[in-house]
Amino acid sequence: MKIKITLGVAAALMATTALADTKRVTIASWGGSYQEAQSKALFEPAAANTGIEVRQETYGGMSDVRLQVRTGQVTFDIVSSGSGSAARAAAEGLLEKLDYDIIDVSRFPPEYYTDYCVGGDVFSTVFAWNTDTYGEDGPQSWADFWDVEKFPGSRAYRGKVAGALEPALMADGVAPEDVYDVLSSEEGIERALNKIRELRPHIDVFWSSGAQHAQLMRDGEVDMTTGWNGRFDNAAKDGANVMHSFNQGLLDYDCFAIPKGAPNKDAAMAFLAEISKAEYQDDLPTYISYGPTNMAAFETGVIDAETAAMLPSSPENAALQLPISLEWYSEWEPIASEMYQEMLTE
């Protein structure tokens, strides 16, 4: 009997050790052409080079992480997130602190990572136009986007507050460097909302996803829209008659975070260290025109000058844009979002 018990315990210990030695991570992202690009440039090569098994899922954002953490049933090891969403999730205690002794961010600009989220790509919220309607000389500022006499036609605009208020204030004459100061009051938020109300008779669609605003341009359903640069570039590659400008764009980044209580936290940290390297990030623009957060990626020779000119994080394009303020979103987004949704239901 003692022998059987000893063997049983030994077998259990061996099984536990084998499980602990298995390196795997579950990564949740947003699907579509974006996750396909992440998979080809980052996830699949890093899995092959590290031996870490990768399982990919799509998810609905930090609300899914909140549910997992609060119920104690965390299945995600890494999530792809917008920077603002990650900042709010970190403030709620939903994320693990990242170890930058493991993840090398020495070539990352400081605005592209936080204690809880490391940048994976840089994107821009821009205005785009139908070249069938306006040719190549479309709008070149948010004031132009609002100018329905100079640029008559239908518009689409974001149905959520993120990236919706800043363009309205710039269209109303606020200098980019003053936008967040003005927005740091309910009066300033109302000023932005009033500017959107002014344009609303010409807004046919309030879009809710990158796939949607790209499809609007593919189908020619609107003449002009806001949206994300990489989605428009991919639509253009598919034959859509669309162009966009980085002028007065909103410079933002997507990042990777580890949910609090992730089952494979150590493997997740190692995997983030791997995909943060320049030799992975320089491949991402091959699949979608979002820029690297690791500036060394511009030095590997993979990103040529023509490609760099399409990337929001190239120094020339970044200089034209307003960086998103995570501090403002952390403090003001709940109030601004409620006011924005009320405006949409008027």
Side-chain angles (χ1 to χ4, degrees):
M1 181 64 69
K2 285 184 180 180
I3 293 175
K4 290 181 180 178
I5 292 173
T6 301
L7 289 174
V9 171
L13 287 172
M14 288 176 66
T16 302
T17 301
L19 183 63
D21 288 342
T22 300
K23 293 183 178 180
R24 62 167 65 92
V25 293
T26 297
I27 302 175
S29 189
W30 299 318
S33 60
Y34 177 67
Q35 187 165 350
E36 183 180 353
Q38 288 179 311
S39 182
K40 291 178 178 178
L42 307 176
F43 304 156
E44 293 174 16
N49 291 335
T50 62
I52 297 174
E53 179 186 334
V54 174
R55 177 185 177 187
Q56 295 188 49
E57 295 186 12
T58 58
Y59 82 136
M62 283 297 177
S63 58
D64 291 355
V65 173
R66 184 180 297 108
L67 179 62
Q68 289 193 6
V69 172
R70 289 183 177 174
T71 59
Q73 298 178 350
V74 181
T75 61
F76 301 149
D77 298 300
I78 296 170
V79 293
S80 182
S81 172
S83 59
S85 296
R88 293 189 298 279
E92 289 183 47
L94 302 178
L95 304 178
E96 298 281 357
K97 192 170 185 178
L98 299 183
D99 188 345
Y100 288 117
D101 288 333
I102 296 174
I103 304 168
D104 182 6
V105 291
S106 59
R107 295 298 306 278
F108 282 52
E111 60 267 27
Y112 291 161
Y113 66 95
T114 70
D115 286 347
Y116 295 90
C117 208
V118 60
D121 63 81
V122 181
F123 69 95
S124 297
T125 297
V126 297
F127 47 83
W129 65 90
N130 188 323
T131 55
D132 277 348
T133 306
Y134 307 113
E136 294 189 1
D137 297 322
Q140 294 302 310
S141 67
W142 290 114
D144 283 350
F145 189 91
W146 255 259
D147 192 337
V148 296
E149 293 185 2
K150 184 178 179 181
F151 295 100
S154 59
R155 269 72 164 163
Y157 208 77
R158 190 165 194 192
K160 294 182 180 179
V161 76
L165 301 182
E166 300 94 331
L169 284 185
M170 284 186 274
D172 204 35
V174 177
E177 62 269 22
D178 297 328
V179 162
Y180 288 111
D181 287 338
V182 174
L183 283 176
S184 295
S185 69
E186 290 192 23
E187 293 77 14
I189 294 169
E190 191 65 25
R191 177 179 173 179
L193 294 177
N194 283 335
K195 192 66 176 177
I196 297 170
R197 288 184 180 103
E198 176 187 309
L199 187 64
R200 189 165 184 179
H202 306 275
I203 299 174
D204 286 3
V205 179
F206 282 94
W207 57 266
S208 59
S209 71
Q212 183 185 10
H213 72 59
Q215 195 63 45
L216 288 170
M217 299 308 286
R218 284 190 180 95
D219 295 342
E221 287 190 38
V222 295
D223 299 302
M224 210 181 289
T225 184
T226 63
W228 301 316
N229 70 286
R231 297 282 190 164
F232 295 132
D233 289 335
N234 276 5
K237 289 177 184 176
D238 292 340
N241 299 312
V242 60
M243 292 183 69
H244 67 80
S245 171
F246 283 116
N247 190 46
Q248 297 186 333
L250 305 180
L251 189 65
D252 201 353
Y253 68 97
D254 294 312
C255 58
F256 294 110
I258 300 176
K260 194 78 171 178
N264 301 293
K265 175 184 171 182
D266 291 344
M269 204 76 70
F271 197 77
L272 291 187
E274 188 71 10
I275 62 176
S276 296
K277 294 177 180 178
E279 56 262 37
Y280 297 94
Q281 289 207 2
D282 63 6
D283 283 340
L284 192 65
T286 302
Y287 305 103
I288 194 166
S289 52
Y290 292 153
T293 48
N294 187 335
M295 293 297 100
F298 285 109
E299 302 166 6
T300 64
V302 172
I303 300 174
D304 59 27
E306 183 179 356
T307 301
M310 299 177 64
L311 302 180
S313 60
S314 70
E316 294 78 10
N317 290 332
L320 300 172
Q321 301 178 72
L322 171 64
I324 287 288
S325 171
L326 296 185
E327 292 79 10
W328 183 86
Y329 275 94
S330 295
E331 181 177 356
W332 285 98
E333 185 175 17
I335 295 170
S337 181
E338 183 177 347
M339 294 173 67
Y340 193 71
Q341 292 307 311
E342 288 177 359
M343 183 271 294
L344 291 179
T345 58
E346 290 173 354

